[in-house]
Amino acid sequence: MTVPFSTFLIQLSEAVQSENGQRLAYLLRPTSPHGKDLVKEFRNPSRDTLMVQYGGCIESPWDEIAVRYVMVTSHVARKRPAEAFNEQSQLISLFFRFLTQNTGWTLPALFSMLRDLRDLAFDADFHSKYNGQSSECMESAAGVVAKAFSNCMTDRTSPADQSRKWGIYYVVGLVMKCYFRVKRISLSKNILRALDANPDIPPLSAYPRSHQVTYRYYLGMLSFLNEDYAKAEQELTLAFYNCHTQAHRNQERILTCLIPLRILRGHLPSRVLMKRFPVLDELFSPFIAAIRTGDISTYDVALDRWERRLVELNLWITIEKARELCIRGLFRRVWVACDKSTRIPVSMFHCSLRISGNDVSMDEAECFVANMIYKGYMRGYISHEKQMVVLATSNAFPRLGDRQAPYVLL
């Protein structure tokens, strides 16, 4: 059934009066069916003309919000994402005036509008880049979403169960997505500081699980990029285990950083897990296989092959650090070949490195062994005078997962 603008205004007013947040979100979504009806009704709409005709028909600011919505749908239909983004930004600014005077029933509409803003910003930036132009719509969107975060944080009058604070972590997830998209990740620290400084926020566990997963994912990513690997692994692990089993793409995104962290700790992923994620299997399997066999040359070939992709994912340094596990595997094979002797000449480790494609001197080989002992991959000491490695009689090569504080010595 066709919905004329006059009917849309009535429906909008009824949704506001009945405090129906889901209905309001639906009415203000540019992709809703009635949006196409409005595009047909107003072939070439003008905001000023519409305000003259319809201004005051319903309570302010909803009359202007309705007009802005018509402009958004018109620009979207005519594939003008930058103009649609600007109108959506103004629409949300008007909505903020209403939001700060109301309780949490407005959150579904807020979430929907912010998602649409982010999508329009992405389309606008992509369209501009395709045409050789510069655009900062996503960065502007981040500013709007950050303002929404402030509006949720400052709710001190609503009842606890109806507070706008129940939207905090969803909005935090959105603003972090924007910061990561425009590579302004450092701005996330301001958001985290605001969260820490506000003791009145309900505990994270009380929020919907989807909000928790998104927040933990970005918190883990921030820790990962700051090389706080222990914190990153903790947050990403919680995000993965709480992620919906059908959200395959989200699980893959979490595992993209979690798998390298687990590899650094010596916990190699199983084939069952890797088969569930073919893209990650193709990327990480060469490294995992090389670590299992101690094949340094294969590991180095994989590093060269996947360097560009690993750099894009901010994983190159982490995977390069995991090369030590390959060296540990190689030295363990030397130990096994020597009948697990407690005394092995440094020259044996030197030969193994050269055979594996590493053209190093004897002194460098000795340094490799010393490094393995220092980092807990081997137990023993080096007799430099006799050029002999003296290994422990028991547990000479501890299990990788048993090392204490494995991230500390990276």
Side-chain angles (χ1 to χ4, degrees):
M1 186 177 73
T2 302
V3 178
F5 188 57
S6 56
T7 302
F8 172 75
L9 289 171
I10 295 171
Q11 292 176 346
L12 192 63
S13 180
E14 289 175 348
V16 173
Q17 291 174 6
S18 62
E19 297 188 353
N20 190 336
Q22 295 289 351
R23 177 64 175 167
L24 188 60
Y26 171 78
L27 289 171
L28 294 176
R29 192 173 299 135
T31 54
S32 295
H34 56 265
K36 296 180 181 179
D37 296 335
L38 298 180
V39 171
K40 294 177 182 177
E41 182 176 353
F42 301 103
R43 295 291 181 181
N44 191 22
S46 165
R47 183 171 59 253
D48 294 338
T49 302
L50 288 173
M51 281 304 299
V52 169
Q53 188 173 356
Y54 295 99
C57 288
I58 57 176
E59 185 181 359
S60 177
W62 292 104
D63 52 352
E64 191 172 351
I65 287 176
V67 169
R68 295 280 183 180
Y69 174 75
V70 172
M71 300 305 299
V72 171
T73 56
S74 177
H75 289 311
V76 169
R78 290 166 176 77
K79 300 188 184 304
R80 297 194 290 253
E83 290 81 353
F85 169 79
N86 291 331
E87 292 292 346
Q88 182 74 5
S89 297
Q90 294 300 317
L91 185 154
I92 293 174
S93 295
L94 291 167
F95 180 74
F96 283 160
R97 285 162 43 189
F98 179 81
L99 175 73
T100 53
Q101 305 298 321
N102 285 269
T103 60
W105 75 265
T106 54
L107 291 177
L110 176 68
F111 295 166
S112 178
M113 282 187 264
L114 293 178
R115 280 198 308 271
D116 292 333
L117 182 73
R118 182 201 62 196
D119 294 342
L120 288 171
F122 177 82
D123 292 342
D125 287 348
F126 180 82
H127 185 266
S128 297
K129 184 177 179 181
Y130 182 81
N131 291 299
Q133 301 171 342
S134 61
S135 175
E136 296 181 350
C137 289
M138 187 61 76
E139 194 163 343
S140 299
V144 175
V145 180
K147 188 174 182 181
F149 168 74
S150 299
N151 287 334
C152 290
M153 286 280 287
T154 54
D155 185 6
R156 295 181 176 86
T157 57
S158 302
D161 61 334
Q162 301 175 33
S163 175
R164 295 194 304 274
K165 290 183 179 180
W166 291 107
I168 285 175
Y169 283 105
Y170 184 91
V171 177
V172 166
L174 279 178
V175 74
M176 285 190 173
K177 285 180 185 179
C178 295
Y179 287 152
F180 272 72
R181 174 71 68 178
V182 298
K183 298 182 179 179
R184 298 289 299 277
I185 300 170
S186 60
L187 295 177
S188 300
K189 295 178 181 178
N190 299 330
I191 301 293
L192 298 180
R193 276 197 292 266
L195 288 173
D196 292 337
N198 194 325
D200 299 330
I201 301 174
L204 180 61
S205 58
Y207 285 77
R209 186 168 292 187
S210 59
H211 299 195
Q212 297 179 42
V213 169
T214 303
Y215 174 71
R216 289 195 183 280
Y217 167 72
Y218 283 106
L219 191 58
M221 285 298 299
L222 286 170
S223 300
F224 179 83
L225 294 174
N226 290 326
E227 297 189 4
D228 184 356
Y229 293 139
K231 175 73 170 175
E233 184 187 5
Q234 176 186 347
E235 295 297 339
L236 291 173
T237 300
L238 287 170
F240 180 74
Y241 284 130
N242 285 285
C243 189
H244 196 283
T245 54
Q246 300 300 317
H248 187 273
R249 187 175 177 184
N250 290 343
Q251 288 181 325
E252 183 177 283
R253 189 172 289 139
I254 295 168
L255 286 175
T256 300
C257 285
L258 183 56
I259 286 176
L261 289 172
R262 300 288 284 174
I263 289 175
L264 279 179
R265 287 196 60 188
H267 295 287
L268 303 182
S270 66
R271 286 301 308 155
V272 175
L273 176 67
M274 298 307 291
K275 284 181 179 179
R276 287 174 53 198
F277 303 94
V279 174
L280 299 182
D281 188 27
E282 183 183 12
L283 177 60
F284 292 123
S285 286
F287 301 105
I288 295 168
I291 290 171
R292 291 187 190 278
T293 59
D295 191 343
I296 301 176
S297 60
T298 299
Y299 197 94
D300 290 341
V301 169
L303 271 177
D304 289 338
R305 179 188 174 191
W306 292 102
E307 179 178 3
R308 187 170 185 176
R309 180 60 178 155
L310 291 173
V311 170
E312 289 174 354
L313 295 170
N314 295 307
L315 295 178
W316 195 89
I317 293 176
T318 309
I319 295 297
E320 200 275 335
K321 287 178 179 178
R323 185 176 182 270
E324 291 179 345
L325 277 67
C326 242
I327 299 173
R328 180 258 186 197
L330 176 65
F331 287 179
R332 189 180 187 282
R333 293 176 69 183
V334 172
W335 175 63
V336 171
C338 293
D339 296 325
K340 300 185 178 180
S341 172
T342 56
R343 285 170 173 76
I344 303 174
V346 174
S347 59
M348 293 292 290
F349 295 105
H350 179 225
C351 288
S352 69
L353 288 167
R354 290 182 66 98
I355 291 171
S356 66
N358 287 261
D359 188 13
V360 297
S361 66
M362 184 71 79
D363 289 340
E364 288 175 306
E366 188 175 341
C367 286
F368 275 113
V369 176
N371 198 42
M372 289 291 105
I373 294 172
Y374 171 70
K375 293 190 175 182
Y377 293 110
M378 300 166 58
R379 293 177 64 237
Y381 64 90
I382 300 173
S383 174
H384 180 71
E385 182 181 356
K386 296 181 180 180
Q387 286 291 287
M388 187 71 66
V389 179
V390 182
L391 296 172
T393 54
S394 64
N395 201 23
F397 285 83
R399 289 179 67 252
L400 291 170
D402 292 342
R403 288 181 303 143
Q404 293 184 353
Y407 296 129
V408 173
L409 298 175
L410 288 174

